[in-house]
Amino acid sequence: MQVFFYVVSFGFLVFALYLFCHVRKKIEYYRRLEKSFDTIVDGLSKLDPNSPEEEFFQKILNIAMEVVPEAVKGSVSRITPSGDWVFVASRGHIVDLFGKRFPSRYLFRAGKDPLEVDFLDYDRGLFPDDMWKFFEKTLRGTRKSLVVGIFSGDEFVGNIALDSPYFGFSELSKKILKSLGNLTSTFLMRKTLANEQQLQKVMSTIFTLLLLFRKPISAEEFLKEALQKIVEASNVFTGGIVFEGNIPVFHTDLEEIPEFDFEESKEEEKIEKLVKDGVHYIVVHLDYKDMPSYHMVFLSNEDIAPSFFSVLNTFAEVVSLYLREYHLHQKYRELALKDPLTEAYSRHYFNEWIFSHMAWLRRNQKKSVLVIMDVDGLKMINDTYGHLMGDKALVEFVKTLKRTVRESDLVFRYGGDEFLLVLVDSTKDNAASVLKRVEENLKDVDLPFKIEFSFGYEEIDGFMPIERALARADDLLYKNKFEKRGGSE
């Protein structure tokens, strides 16, 4: 029997280690993705789309190489109106890359999805000797290249190519480069619309939306701001609505909200055009994996010109990027700020949250109760039943706490078997009855032993230093433990 428990305990430790590594890997993934999106948005918001072409694309290339860590060299190629290619920007390549022109049949048109290629594995027969020598010299040490197309609306204008000495690029790098490629077309569109004042005004509005990325606003607030700004900038839209699923969440300049069933829509494009009862509707679908499904609907009394759809595609890219960044930020924070075993908030999050809560207490002249709790006899549980059961006891303890207290109350894992419970907008009198209910509810937990806990608590009002409140509650916790042991250590 003892051997069985050792095997189970070892298996659980292996699983716990795997879970820890998995969570750490996820946190690092979201941290890098969030940082990359910040770099892209920050870089693009500082760009001047009217700057010389070489300077403009050099800055785009610098952003690309900053957010794709595998890249050690890179270039931006531009296709000319005559069909020739010109390399307008480079980093890490030989200097004669600038101004080098080749017939277009020697290079390919990359799409909006990044593609991994190996130029040096191409059939040498595709290239003249001087071209092949140029690529051999330029791409020396390169194992893989990651290439994404640049578009002005739907018109292909060139490629961003990043070169790596490693065997390939991560899926994360491909996702990041795709976002950069899509947003680069936003700036190119502005140049092509110089003579169309209405579309130019809408594009300028889209640029201002990039600045909202720097503000800590929710996805709903961003969508509301985006909806209002586009309706105001446009001379064709008479109003707009944002739906989450099929439910309208807010609208502008409308007296009556039309009904839509987006679940039955078979349209796969981001932009959908509908006509109902003489009213023209433009629907911007904002679907993304693992995110709420949003739809922005614009109303017009007249048909929408085809040139407007290119602008709306750019608008959809900007809004989608914000939604992805916001969603990933929330997911990253949830992973980083919660204990992976019990799903209680972490001690790190308590240290971050408590000061804003203390400020709230001061402003509103309210009180909360800080409760320190620890599970009694956890070492004995581990020694008798194994660490697997010890961890299960902690999980069930937190589940019972959350089930007993209000949604507004917060549970933090402060140490191994020590937890903090903050009863928001409450008093010491309420705390005693809450803890009594926790004791009763723990009796319903189905384990081969009883889960008991010791506690100490102190009121906080925003004026007493939190360190003093913690120390007082901690003293009462040990006094409670001492009394439960019959007054002996």
Side-chain angles (χ1 to χ4, degrees):
M1 189 67 178
Q2 197 173 24
V3 173
F4 171 76
F5 278 120
Y6 281 132
V7 171
V8 170
S9 297
F10 177 75
F12 178 76
L13 287 173
V14 171
F15 173 75
L17 181 62
Y18 164 79
L19 184 63
F20 173 76
C21 293
H22 176 73
V23 171
R24 284 290 298 273
K25 188 175 179 181
K26 279 283 187 184
I27 290 173
E28 184 57 36
Y29 173 90
Y30 292 125
R31 183 185 288 125
R32 183 185 150 197
L33 193 53
E34 184 184 23
K35 183 180 178 182
S36 298
F37 280 160
D38 284 346
T39 300
I40 290 172
V41 171
D42 189 53
L44 291 178
S45 63
K46 294 176 182 176
L47 279 180
D48 178 7
N50 297 315
S51 60
E53 187 174 76
E54 185 176 306
E55 179 185 327
F56 173 80
F57 281 115
Q58 187 66 52
K59 289 179 179 177
I60 292 292
L61 177 61
N62 290 342
I63 295 172
M65 293 195 64
E66 187 172 351
V67 296
V68 178
E70 299 94 338
V72 295
K73 294 185 288 187
S75 62
V76 176
S77 56
R78 184 85 153 86
I79 190 166
T80 67
S82 62
D84 286 344
W85 287 82
V86 56
F87 289 86
V88 290
S90 83
R91 185 168 156 187
H93 282 156
I94 54 176
V95 71
D96 67 355
L97 190 64
F98 286 99
K100 198 79 176 178
R101 286 176 166 78
F102 303 111
S104 60
R105 66 179 180 273
Y106 294 129
L107 292 174
F108 68 93
R109 299 181 179 216
K112 293 185 178 181
D113 288 311
L115 180 68
E116 225 176 47
V117 296
D118 190 341
F119 283 112
L120 298 183
D121 279 349
Y122 274 23
D123 185 352
R124 295 182 68 138
L126 290 175
F127 299 97
D129 286 343
D130 61 336
M131 166 77 92
W132 181 256
K133 288 176 183 176
F134 170 77
F135 273 119
E136 275 194 313
K137 187 165 55 169
T138 300
L139 300 176
R140 184 180 293 116
T142 298
R143 291 175 184 260
K144 290 287 183 182
S145 294
L146 189 64
V147 188
V148 68
I150 306 172
F151 295 80
S152 178
D154 294 327
E155 178 191 0
F156 174 81
V157 295
N159 290 330
I160 301 173
L162 304 179
D163 305 325
S164 172
Y166 309 111
F167 287 100
F169 294 83
S170 69
E171 290 303 313
L172 180 57
S173 291
K174 294 175 185 177
K175 183 183 296 186
I176 292 167
L177 191 60
K178 180 179 180 179
S179 295
L180 176 61
N182 289 339
L183 282 176
T184 299
S185 68
T186 305
F187 290 82
L188 295 178
M189 278 290 292
R190 190 173 184 179
K191 288 184 176 182
T192 62
L193 295 175
N195 297 323
E196 299 185 50
Q197 291 185 359
Q198 178 188 338
L199 298 185
Q200 175 74 0
K201 186 178 179 182
V202 176
M203 285 300 295
S204 296
T205 300
I206 293 172
F207 284 124
T208 65
L209 292 178
L210 285 172
L211 301 178
L212 291 180
F213 280 55
R214 305 274 66 81
K215 294 183 178 181
I217 62 175
S218 68
E220 288 75 16
E221 289 172 322
F222 180 83
L223 288 170
K224 187 173 184 179
E225 191 84 17
L227 181 77
Q228 291 173 337
K229 285 185 179 298
I230 293 299
V231 171
E232 289 169 5
S234 166
N235 294 328
V236 295
F237 294 143
T238 58
I241 324 156
V242 171
F243 290 83
E244 183 175 351
N246 290 327
I247 302 172
V249 287
F250 46 79
H251 62 87
T252 183
D253 298 334
L254 290 180
E255 294 181 2
E256 186 177 348
I257 299 175
E259 292 184 1
F260 289 90
D261 188 354
F262 297 110
E263 292 179 3
E264 291 187 359
S265 174
K266 296 181 180 179
E267 184 68 44
E268 294 184 358
E269 296 295 323
K270 281 186 178 179
I271 313 294
E272 185 178 0
K273 184 177 177 181
L274 301 171
V275 180
K276 293 182 180 180
D277 301 324
V279 179
H280 296 265
Y281 298 94
I282 301 297
V283 183
V284 180
H285 298 288
L286 301 167
D287 294 329
Y288 190 67
K289 184 181 178 183
D290 298 330
M291 276 177 47
S293 177
Y294 291 103
H295 310 272
M296 301 184 77
V297 180
F298 298 96
L299 285 69
S300 174
N301 292 326
E302 58 186 77
D303 197 8
I304 307 299
S307 58
F308 211 97
F309 281 84
S310 294
V311 176
L312 287 177
N313 268 307
T314 300
F315 169 71
E317 290 291 348
V318 171
V319 175
S320 295
L321 181 64
Y322 183 86
L323 293 177
R324 291 199 293 271
E325 183 179 11
Y326 178 80
H327 175 71
L328 289 167
H329 178 71
Q330 295 299 102
K331 204 163 187 177
Y332 157 65
R333 278 184 62 83
E334 185 177 327
L335 277 172
L337 302 179
K338 280 194 174 181
D339 170 47
L341 174 67
T342 64
E343 294 192 358
Y345 286 111
S346 68
R347 181 171 183 164
H348 171 74
Y349 182 50
F350 173 79
N351 293 335
E352 178 184 303
W353 171 84
I354 190 62
F355 292 104
S356 62
H357 182 63
M358 297 281 276
W360 179 83
L361 292 174
R362 286 194 299 272
R363 283 195 309 271
N364 296 280
Q365 297 183 344
K366 291 184 178 292
K367 294 182 179 181
S368 292
V369 180
L370 177 69
V371 186
I372 296 184
M373 321 166 76
D374 79 12
V375 177
D376 293 337
L378 184 64
K379 184 179 184 307
M380 189 169 63
I381 292 172
N382 287 333
D383 292 343
T384 306
Y385 298 96
H387 287 274
L388 181 61
M389 275 296 183
D391 284 344
K392 192 169 183 181
L394 295 178
V395 170
E396 293 298 329
F397 178 67
V398 171
K399 282 183 180 178
T400 304
L401 273 180
K402 290 181 176 180
R403 192 168 66 245
T404 306
V405 301
R406 302 164 299 173
E407 279 191 30
S408 58
D409 300 326
L410 280 75
V411 180
F412 303 86
R413 188 174 184 184
Y414 203 59
D417 61 352
E418 198 168 58
F419 296 85
L420 293 179
L421 170 63
V422 180
L423 302 173
V424 176
D425 191 11
S426 190
T427 64
K428 283 186 177 181
D429 294 337
N430 293 333
S433 61
V434 169
L435 294 172
K436 189 67 178 174
R437 290 201 306 274
V438 173
E439 288 179 347
E440 291 298 317
N441 290 339
L442 282 172
K443 294 176 182 177
D444 298 330
V445 174
D446 185 17
L447 287 174
F449 49 83
K450 288 172 61 178
I451 300 178
E452 296 181 332
F453 65 95
S454 301
F455 61 85
Y457 54 84
E458 182 62 57
E459 276 185 355
I460 52 176
D461 57 7
F463 294 98
M464 177 193 296
I466 190 61
E467 296 81 7
R468 189 184 302 172
L470 282 167
R472 288 185 180 180
D474 201 40
D475 287 343
L476 292 171
L477 166 69
Y478 281 96
K479 182 179 179 182
N480 183 234
K481 272 187 174 295
F482 184 73
E483 290 172 351
K484 288 170 79 172
R485 292 171 180 168
S488 61
E489 289 291 348

